Amino acid sequence: MASSENQKIAELTDVSFDNTAIAFSYQSDEELQEKYWLFAAMNAPVLTKVGTNLVKLALKLKLPVRGVVKKTIFKQFVGGETIEDCMPVIEKLAEYHIKTILDYSVEGEKTEEGFTQTTRETLATIEKAKSLGLPFAVFKVTGIASATLLEKVQSGESLSSEEAKAVERVQERMDTLCEAAHDAGIGIFIDGEESWMQDAIDDLADAMMEKYNRERAVVYNTYQMYRRDMLANLKKAFQRAATYQYYLGAKLVRGAYMEKERREARQNKYESPINLTKQASDDLYNEALKFSVAHIVRMAICAGTHNEDSSYLLLELMQQNNLQPNDERIWFAQLYGMSDNLSYNLANAGYNVAKYVPYGPV
C-alpha cells in the first residue's frame, strides 16, 4: 500500500503511526536510549549470531551472564519470570489502554510432567486474565503435547495403544484449557506451529471451536499467512464454522518458522509451503483481513501484526464497514517491546489493542 494511501487513512481515522509523541510517551529519554542501542546491536547480524552462541555457551557453563541477559534482551521483550513479576508491565500497559496477553513461553515439552505443568500454568494465566479483565490467554499445543505424536497423527500412521491414550490426554488438556477460558469469559489463542504438525493442531482447534464458540468466539486458531495455502485454509475453516453453526476465532499472523520450514522441505525434497516472496505473504495477509471483515458476522479476529500497511488496511476496512474502533470482534496485537508506534497510537484512538507479554525462566 502506498504511503500516500496510508496518509489518507491516517487522516480519516485520526491514527498516525508516525506519531512518536504518543508512541513513546510512557518512556524516559534514558529508557529510549537503552532501547535504541539494544535494537542497533540486534540489527548487526554478525553481532547477533556471535552473541547468541556466546550466551548459550555461558548459560551451559553456568557462567554469571544471567543478570546481563535479564537487564537487556529479557527486560525488553519479557514481562518477568512469573505471572506476578509481570504485574508492573500489565499495569503500565493498562495506563495507556493496552491489554496484556500473558504468554507462558514454553514449547517442545517432552514429558507428561512437563505437559501437566504447562497446562497448570496456562490455567493460572486464565485465572489472572479473569481477575484483571484481560481479554485473552494463549498456549502452544507443543507445550501440552509431544511434537512427535502430533506429527504421527498428521501423517496418518497407526498409533500404538499407549500413543492412542496419549492423544486422548492431549484432547483432555485442550478441553480443560478451552473450557476454563469459556467459563472465565475470555478468549484463548492456540498458537501456530510447523506445517508438519499444523493439520493435527487445526483438527483439535476446530473441535474446540465447535464445542465452545456457540455464542461467541472463545477459541481462536492461528493462521500463518506466509504459507501459500493458508488463505484457502482460513476460508475452509469459515465454511466449517458456518456449516456447524459456531463462530470462527482467527488470529492472523504472517508466520514464525520460515527458515525451519524451508530447510525441512529442502532436506526431505518436497515443495516448501512458504511463499517465495515477502510481497506474496503481505498480499495473502491483507486478503485474509478483507475476507474476515467481510464475514465478521460469524467471525472474530486478532490481527497479530507489526506491519503498518496491514494495520492501516484494517482501519480502512473497519471504517468502510461502519465498525466501531472498540468492536469486540476485532483486536490488534503486537509483541511486548516491539512496534509501540502501532500499539500506543491505536489504543490512543480507542481501538482494541493487546500486547503479547511472554514470561518464564531466563
Side-chain angles (χ1 to χ4, degrees):
M1 186 182 296
S3 58
S4 60
E5 293 179 21
N6 286 348
Q7 184 61 38
K8 290 177 185 176
I9 300 168
E11 291 171 359
L12 287 171
T13 59
D14 200 28
V15 177
S16 172
F17 299 138
D18 294 330
N19 190 327
T20 54
I22 291 175
F24 302 117
S25 60
Y26 71 102
Q27 290 190 312
S28 67
D29 289 350
E30 183 181 353
E31 288 171 327
L32 285 172
Q33 203 58 21
E34 287 179 6
K35 180 180 286 190
Y36 171 81
W37 287 114
L38 180 63
F39 275 94
M42 289 172 60
N43 277 326
V46 174
L47 184 59
T48 303
K49 185 174 182 180
V50 172
T52 301
N53 290 331
L54 285 175
V55 168
K56 286 181 179 177
L57 178 61
L59 289 171
K60 188 175 182 179
L61 296 175
K62 301 189 184 305
L63 297 177
V65 297
R66 188 173 176 276
V68 176
V69 173
K70 193 167 184 178
K71 290 179 181 178
T72 53
I73 296 288
F74 195 85
K75 176 184 173 183
Q76 176 65 31
F77 300 110
V78 183
E81 295 193 67
T82 66
I83 292 177
E84 289 309 312
D85 285 349
C86 295
M87 283 307 300
V89 171
I90 295 171
E91 291 166 359
K92 187 74 170 179
L93 291 172
E95 286 179 29
Y96 295 87
H97 310 292
I98 296 173
K99 297 292 188 178
T100 294
I101 303 170
L102 285 169
D103 180 12
Y104 181 53
S105 295
V106 169
E107 58 185 295
E109 284 286 357
K110 294 182 172 61
T111 67
E112 287 296 311
E113 183 182 358
F115 302 147
T116 300
Q117 170 57 26
T118 302
T119 302
R120 257 198 313 262
E121 193 67 31
T122 306
L123 286 171
T125 67
I126 292 170
E127 187 58 38
K128 180 61 74 172
K130 178 183 178 181
S131 68
L132 296 177
L134 304 179
F136 303 107
V138 60
F139 70 99
K140 277 184 172 291
V141 176
T142 50
I144 65 168
S146 159
T148 302
L149 180 64
L150 292 169
E151 289 178 54
K152 196 165 184 180
V153 169
Q154 179 159 318
S155 69
E157 294 180 50
S158 59
L159 304 178
S160 66
S161 59
E162 184 50 48
E163 287 171 330
K165 290 176 184 175
V167 169
E168 289 179 6
R169 290 194 295 272
V170 173
Q171 293 168 335
E172 288 169 3
R173 284 190 282 266
M174 282 197 74
D175 191 73
T176 295
L177 294 176
C178 294
E179 181 180 33
H182 176 273
D183 293 348
I186 68 169
I188 188 163
F189 294 153
I190 300 171
D191 268 349
E193 311 219 28
E194 294 91 339
S195 61
W196 47 88
M197 65 183 84
Q198 187 62 52
D199 289 353
I201 293 169
D202 289 347
D203 289 342
L204 291 166
D206 286 342
M208 292 296 100
M209 282 194 274
E210 185 175 349
K211 184 173 182 179
Y212 292 108
N213 288 15
R214 292 292 178 180
E215 294 86 27
R216 63 182 183 87
V218 172
V219 181
Y220 290 65
N221 198 12
T222 300
Y223 300 88
Q224 300 187 92
M225 305 312 297
Y226 69 173
R227 278 181 50 175
R228 289 179 285 106
D229 60 348
M230 198 50 65
L231 181 59
N233 286 0
L234 176 66
K235 292 179 178 180
K236 180 181 175 183
F238 175 81
Q239 191 55 55
R240 187 182 191 281
T243 300
Y244 292 100
Q245 297 288 294
Y246 61 87
Y247 292 89
L248 176 64
K251 178 160 73 79
L252 305 176
V253 301
R254 276 171 170 75
Y257 307 102
M258 185 168 72
E259 290 92 347
K260 189 187 289 188
E261 289 279 4
R262 286 178 171 164
R263 183 172 63 247
E264 191 77 11
R266 190 166 55 249
Q267 290 174 351
N268 291 285
K269 296 181 172 54
Y270 63 83
E271 186 178 10
S272 170
I274 306 301
N275 287 311
L276 296 178
T277 65
K278 179 181 182 299
Q279 187 60 54
S281 294
D282 290 344
D283 291 344
L284 279 184
Y285 191 93
N286 291 342
E287 286 301 314
L289 289 177
K290 293 175 185 176
F291 177 84
S292 299
V293 173
H295 297 84
I296 201 66
V297 171
R298 188 167 287 282
M299 286 186 70
I301 63 169
C302 175
T305 181
H306 299 144
N307 186 285
E308 291 188 13
D309 289 348
S310 294
S311 299
Y312 274 127
L313 174 61
L314 183 51
L315 292 178
E316 182 180 32
L317 292 168
M318 291 178 71
Q319 187 175 74
Q320 289 174 349
N321 288 271
N322 297 313
L323 299 171
Q324 294 301 308
N326 63 349
D327 190 307
E328 63 181 12
R329 298 168 296 183
I330 300 177
W331 282 79
F332 294 81
Q334 290 81 41
L335 296 173
Y336 176 63
M338 295 179 68
S339 299
D340 286 346
N341 65 314
L342 271 65
S343 306
Y344 283 81
N345 279 296
L346 285 165
N348 184 69
Y351 289 87
N352 296 323
V353 181
K355 284 282 199 183
Y356 253 66
V357 177
Y359 75 94
V362 173

